[in-house]
Amino acid sequence: MAEDPNTEESEQRPLLGGYKCGISLLFMTLVTVTSVSSDAISKQLVKDQPVFFLALLRGITMTSLILPVIIYNPDLFKSTVGEWRLLSLRGTASSCSVIARVGALFFTPLGDVTAVTSVIPILTALWSACVLLESIVCAEIVLALLSACGICLIAEPSAFVILNGTSVDYSMLFGVGLAVSSTLFGSLGYVLNRKLSHRDVTIHPIVQVFYYGVISIIINSIGFAVNCAYTRSFRLPRAAEWGLLLLVGGLSLLKQLFLTHVLKTERTVYVSTLIYSSSVMLSYVIGYVIFHDSPSIVTLVGASLCVLSTICFIISRRND
């Protein structure tokens, strides 16, 4: 279904030419920096701590930081009575995305994970066609296939090593699979967030983040309990690790607030494209400097395909 040019969404000016361009770019830069920094810290911590435990503490930290605001201003929830199902679904999608992303960081280099998730704009369009009944053209389907080829190239140690007669790196393949799962859930979260903005009621970003935090705590508590029962091995974090865990939660909260704010003023496709495209380069730089990750030429070609597909996508939708 084509968008009505008279709708509020269509009246928003394009990002690159809007009068609020500077503020929007500032918020998207903050989203990029907080997201990559949080991933880098999580990658360091996931070596010694279970994925569900890291995600659980992230949810607890985020919820604890905004709980005083909720207690001080309970009226924020009055307008969300009829939207709790959609808010809960959005929180579930975002929680699953974080779990899969942290798991991917354990098996896969930071830059590769970010490159895979850079195709979120294309998946967002596919989800939008299903959830919001927005139109999608054949060229965008081709871009989705192009990005899929890029993901295969990023996973080349596992996907193509068979041709050389050597063993398959199943851990890398599993890590890329988790990154793809994170991308699927993340793009669904984008669409649900945008669907919330189309409703007649105004839902404060703090409320959306609170729902996400509470649902994250529930899901990860169950996962952590199952993990402990299965492995029977867990150690409490050291003092320095507790500080990093709190920092991850704080950065995640800032990212959610910045992202929710910018999505209220700019189109989902523009926001997700610029954020995830810029994150790729920063992630590869941090991965090389801190974790000494040296991506192969084939991997860089795959990452370039993912980024180029998103750039072509935003060009194809510049007049929407």
Side-chain angles (χ1 to χ4, degrees):
M1 180 183 297
E3 291 184 350
D4 185 351
N6 296 320
T7 61
E8 180 182 356
E9 170 73 5
S10 300
E11 289 176 354
Q12 294 178 348
R13 298 184 182 184
L15 175 63
L16 299 181
Y19 66 95
K20 294 183 178 179
C21 175
I23 296 177
S24 297
L25 288 176
L26 173 61
F27 273 100
M28 281 184 279
T29 300
L30 292 173
V31 171
T32 299
V33 172
T34 53
S35 176
V36 175
S37 300
S38 176
D39 283 345
I41 297 173
S42 296
K43 182 173 180 62
Q44 181 64 34
L45 293 172
V46 78
K47 297 177 181 178
D48 301 314
Q49 299 294 335
V51 171
F52 287 108
F53 180 70
L54 296 179
L56 173 61
L57 288 185
R58 177 183 298 199
I60 291 176
T61 303
M62 292 175 59
T63 306
S64 300
L65 289 174
I66 63 176
L67 187 59
V69 179
I70 299 296
I71 295 175
Y72 179 76
N73 193 4
D75 292 339
L76 292 175
F77 279 94
K78 286 185 177 180
S79 61
T80 66
V81 175
E83 306 295 340
W84 67 270
R85 292 183 181 85
L86 193 56
L87 284 166
S88 299
L89 185 58
R90 188 249 184 189
T92 301
S94 299
S95 298
C96 292
S97 178
V98 169
I99 294 171
R101 189 182 184 94
V102 175
L105 291 171
F106 180 80
F107 299 99
T108 314
L110 175 62
D112 293 350
V113 173
T114 310
V116 171
T117 56
S118 70
V119 304
I120 274 188
I122 299 175
L123 292 179
T124 299
L126 297 178
W127 277 119
S128 297
C130 299
V131 178
L132 303 179
L133 302 180
E134 295 180 357
S135 62
I136 188 169
V137 298
C138 293
E140 294 170 348
I141 298 177
V142 172
L143 289 175
L145 296 175
L146 181 63
S147 64
C149 292
I151 293 173
C152 290
L153 290 176
I154 291 174
E156 52 89 15
S158 295
F160 300 103
V161 78
I162 299 177
L163 300 177
N164 299 325
T166 53
S167 59
V168 178
D169 185 0
Y170 289 104
S171 62
M172 179 66 178
L173 192 61
F174 184 65
V176 172
L178 286 175
V180 172
S181 299
S182 174
T183 306
L184 289 170
F185 284 114
S187 58
L188 177 59
Y190 271 107
V191 174
L192 293 174
N193 190 86
R194 200 59 186 168
K195 188 175 180 65
L196 284 168
S197 67
H198 288 169
R199 297 302 181 95
D200 295 332
V201 297
T202 300
I203 301 177
H204 197 280
I206 288 290
V207 176
Q208 296 189 38
V209 176
F210 182 77
Y211 266 86
Y212 160 71
V214 171
I215 293 175
S216 176
I217 292 173
I218 296 173
I219 293 176
N220 289 294
S221 295
I222 297 174
F224 179 55
V226 173
N227 179 81
C228 290
Y230 180 75
T231 62
R232 298 185 181 277
S233 61
F234 172 74
R235 70 166 182 81
L236 289 174
R238 303 182 182 91
E241 292 176 331
W242 279 113
L244 291 176
L245 288 168
L246 293 175
L247 180 59
V248 168
L251 290 173
S252 300
L253 173 61
L254 290 176
K255 173 193 171 183
Q256 291 289 329
L257 292 176
F258 292 147
L259 182 59
T260 303
H261 174 82
V262 76
L263 284 174
K264 292 177 63 179
T265 58
E266 301 295 343
R267 296 173 182 169
T268 304
V269 172
Y270 284 92
V271 173
S272 54
T273 296
L274 292 179
I275 288 176
Y276 284 92
S277 297
S278 61
S279 297
V280 173
M281 181 178 295
L282 181 59
S283 295
Y284 274 115
V285 171
I286 291 179
Y288 179 79
V289 173
I290 298 180
F291 302 106
H292 308 291
D293 296 329
S294 299
S296 65
I297 297 299
V298 176
T299 298
L300 291 177
V301 170
S304 299
L305 280 177
C306 291
V307 175
L308 286 175
S309 63
T310 60
I311 293 176
C312 292
F313 181 83
I314 189 174
I315 292 176
S316 70
R317 290 208 165 192
R318 66 186 182 278
N319 294 323
D320 284 3

